[in-house]
Amino acid sequence: MKHPFMFTSSKLTSLLVLSSSLFFIIACGKDKIKDPNKEILSVKFLKSDSTAFNEADVSVFIEKDSIWVYLPPNADLSRIKPVITFKGEKISPLSGVTMNFTNPVVFNVTAEDGTTRSYVAVVKAQEVNKVYVGDTGGRLVCYDAKTGVERWIKTIPGGEGFGYSQACLKNNTIYIGGTDAKVYAINSMTGEVKWTYQALQAIESSPIVENGLVYIGSNHLLFAIDAETGKLRWTYTTYGNVSGKALYDNGIIYIAADGTVYALNASTGSWIRAYYTNQSETLYYSGETVLYKGHLFIGSRYGKLFAFNKETGNLKWTFNDDRASMEQSTPIIRNDTIFISSSFDMGSSPTRFGSTYAIDANTGALIWKSQNGIGFKKNPVYQDGILYMSGYDDKLKALNSKDGSVVWQVSNFRSMQPTLGNNLLFVGESINKRFCAIEPNTGRIVWEKTGGHFIFNKPLVVDNRGRVIN
């Protein structure tokens, strides 16, 4: 007879294994690695009674450790309820609690391992639209688009400053090139510089931002720069000055230089294909390449407008009228019609000035020609059947897009390229070195600012939710 407390060897072995397993589980439970994640994923802002604002009137940007929020103009910032989704163990102040946001509020997210991360939330009732423009005095100015009141000014030393590069807005950040050979990332709300990238020579081209990269040219180089950090990702070398603006489409960057439009992999900068103008002239610059119905359109220094098949690279047609340069005029295309202006023939003596054209986008045939012998350095701006432009005759004009006839004109007004936004026409004027907001229907100046510097670039107009509207 077996003793009641006596175990067989097999049972004893099983018991020992079970005990060891329990000890291992308990030990592992004590030594479990705690999650270090602590991140705010999303924020929704409600009224104090938990009802929602109109979604179209609310914008939220989470940028590193900052939260920028824009609410409707009549929002009571002293009684706002944030609903926050986050990774971590807890957040303070608590989500879903009504609080005062008239001043910045700091949210602290605590991870399971006890570490914390702080976010500063800045909540503002929507302001009026803004317009950003650079000048040759080294200033980038943010104006109230309605009144012309200066919101902030950023100044850089030396050279002609921000006189040539047009500002670009993305995620609450202004990107722009300077003649001090730097690319700037600037907080659009405050004018504070986030980062700079040092190129080798002055930057006259305008940036675009796509998929987290800033594309901008300087001298013979196209740069791709990390939009968040300012670190260089890649460069591509051309045989001519890259002074135009790049075009992005479906993972491909298009940039024009030295008589060629280059198609590059947007992520790596590797060459995909090229579109050749076959011009004997080596001096070739461009405004901006335009994509329309599977074709690329680009103007050249010697008065030619080219249309290329995007997929094959084949030249579809060429338009050439009087050899007056179209190098800085970007084609405007509406309903299969191209509107473009030319400046002057650089090889003529005396100088022969250009015109404004309407061209069939499918065939390259001339539809109408207007303002013969006036010359226009930049391309027109189109809205509601009207073309707005300024010529070498020192007149700002509005033309009927159907036939090129003059709707109105303002004398003693020498300007570059205007911008439409906020129901106003914004443009820099060179005779009196001023920046003007003009009624597009009449040409009446609504407000003007005299800064003592030239404005050669196109102004950037942004609405009260931070969206580009020009």
Side-chain angles (χ1 to χ4, degrees):
M1 180 177 177
K2 293 182 180 179
H3 192 280
F5 297 103
M6 188 175 292
F7 298 94
T8 64
S9 60
S10 61
K11 288 183 177 181
L12 182 60
T13 301
S14 299
L15 183 61
L16 290 173
V17 171
L18 178 61
S19 299
S20 299
S21 299
L22 290 172
F23 177 79
F24 177 76
I25 293 170
I26 293 171
C28 287
K30 290 181 179 179
D31 297 335
K32 179 184 177 182
I33 297 175
K34 294 185 177 180
D35 192 346
N37 286 326
K38 44 190 181 295
E39 179 184 6
I40 290 180
L41 302 176
S42 65
V43 186
K44 185 175 183 179
F45 286 80
L46 306 176
K47 301 175 185 178
S48 58
D49 61 1
S50 297
T51 59
F53 293 101
N54 186 338
E55 187 174 340
D57 295 331
V58 178
S59 294
V60 179
F61 302 96
I62 300 177
E63 181 183 88
K64 292 185 178 179
D65 296 331
S66 298
I67 304 172
W68 298 88
V69 184
Y70 304 91
L71 298 178
N74 59 348
D76 182 2
L77 301 187
S78 67
R79 294 180 58 79
I80 300 295
K81 183 180 293 186
V83 178
I84 304 173
T85 303
F86 65 96
K87 283 184 179 180
E89 187 173 90
K90 60 181 180 179
I91 189 168
S92 177
L94 294 175
S95 171
V97 176
T98 299
M99 60 186 70
N100 187 348
F101 281 95
T102 54
N103 293 309
V105 175
V106 178
F107 288 92
N108 296 301
V109 183
T110 303
E112 288 183 357
D113 65 1
T115 57
T116 62
R117 179 178 179 182
S118 297
Y119 289 81
V120 179
V122 179
V123 180
K124 292 181 176 290
Q126 289 181 9
E127 300 179 3
V128 295
N129 297 1
K130 301 181 181 69
V131 56
Y132 301 86
V133 67
D135 64 32
T136 58
R139 306 186 315 158
L140 176 64
V141 186
C142 173
Y143 291 102
D144 180 316
K146 183 177 181 180
T147 65
V149 172
E150 295 172 353
R151 293 307 180 103
W152 55 257
I153 300 175
K154 174 61 187 174
T155 303
I156 60 174
E160 294 182 302
F162 298 116
Y164 297 94
S165 182
Q166 181 198 3
C168 170
L169 177 71
K170 195 79 169 183
N171 297 332
N172 210 39
T173 302
I174 292 288
Y175 299 93
I176 192 169
T179 57
D180 60 350
K182 289 182 180 179
V183 181
Y184 288 82
I186 299 172
N187 186 301
S188 64
M189 295 291 296
T190 65
E192 177 186 1
V193 175
K194 296 182 176 183
W195 56 254
T196 62
Y197 175 78
Q198 182 68 60
L200 297 177
Q201 295 190 23
I203 298 173
E204 298 180 355
S205 69
S206 299
I208 64 169
V209 181
E210 295 288 347
N211 297 324
L213 291 179
V214 181
Y215 301 95
I216 191 168
S218 174
N219 197 16
H220 291 211
L221 295 171
L222 177 68
F223 298 92
I225 303 168
D226 190 294
E228 186 69 24
T229 65
K231 302 296 183 183
L232 181 66
R233 293 282 288 272
W234 56 258
T235 61
Y236 186 86
T237 303
T238 69
Y239 294 98
N241 190 42
V242 182
S243 60
K245 187 176 181 180
L247 165 71
Y248 175 89
D249 178 64
N250 196 28
I252 299 176
I253 285 290
Y254 300 90
I255 190 69
D258 59 64
T260 305
V261 179
Y262 296 89
L264 310 174
N265 183 296
S267 300
T268 65
S270 59
W271 185 92
I272 297 176
R273 70 174 63 89
Y275 307 83
Y276 300 103
T277 63
N278 296 319
Q279 291 194 117
S280 59
E281 302 92 351
T282 58
L283 291 175
Y284 173 95
Y285 302 86
S286 74
E288 187 175 342
T289 306
V290 173
L291 176 61
Y292 180 76
K293 289 188 175 181
H295 289 82
L296 297 171
F297 299 87
I298 186 75
S300 78
R301 167 164 288 197
Y302 291 94
K304 293 180 181 179
L305 176 65
F306 299 93
F308 293 97
N309 183 294
K310 181 175 76 75
E311 299 300 328
T312 65
N314 295 333
L315 181 64
K316 182 178 183 180
W317 55 254
T318 303
F319 174 85
N320 186 24
D321 179 53
D322 55 11
R323 284 183 57 86
S325 174
M326 295 181 178
E327 64 177 309
Q328 295 191 59
S329 189
T330 299
I332 305 297
I333 307 178
R334 297 290 187 277
N335 300 321
D336 290 344
T337 300
I338 300 172
F339 302 102
I340 193 167
S341 296
S342 59
S343 56
F344 57 89
D345 182 352
M346 295 186 178
S348 66
S349 181
T351 302
R352 292 194 302 271
F353 289 92
S355 309
T356 296
Y357 304 93
I359 302 165
D360 189 303
N362 296 309
T363 65
L366 178 66
I367 298 174
W368 57 253
K369 177 180 178 181
S370 178
Q371 304 297 300
N372 301 347
I374 299 298
F376 302 85
K377 189 162 188 178
K378 289 288 188 178
N379 55 284
V381 176
Y382 177 96
Q383 180 173 282
D384 298 333
I386 303 296
L387 299 167
Y388 302 91
M389 66 197 73
S390 179
Y392 286 106
D393 60 349
D394 293 342
K395 293 179 181 178
L396 179 66
K397 305 176 182 183
L399 304 184
N400 189 319
S401 65
K402 293 182 179 179
D403 57 13
S405 59
V406 176
V407 178
W408 57 255
Q409 60 184 19
V410 177
S411 299
N412 196 36
F413 203 102
R414 182 186 305 162
S415 70
M416 297 296 279
Q417 185 177 359
T419 294
L420 279 159
N422 198 43
N423 297 317
L424 290 171
L425 190 69
F426 298 96
V427 65
E429 194 276 314
S430 300
I431 297 175
N432 298 296
K433 298 180 181 178
R434 54 184 173 157
F435 183 58
C436 303
I438 297 171
E439 277 188 354
N441 293 329
T442 64
R444 182 182 71 87
I445 296 177
V446 177
W447 59 258
E448 62 180 74
K449 293 291 179 178
T450 303
H453 304 288
F454 294 111
I455 295 172
F456 296 134
N457 57 36
K458 181 181 176 182
L460 174 72
V461 186
V462 178
D463 72 7
N464 51 22
R465 295 184 61 203
R467 299 173 301 186
V468 176
I469 58 176
N470 57 291

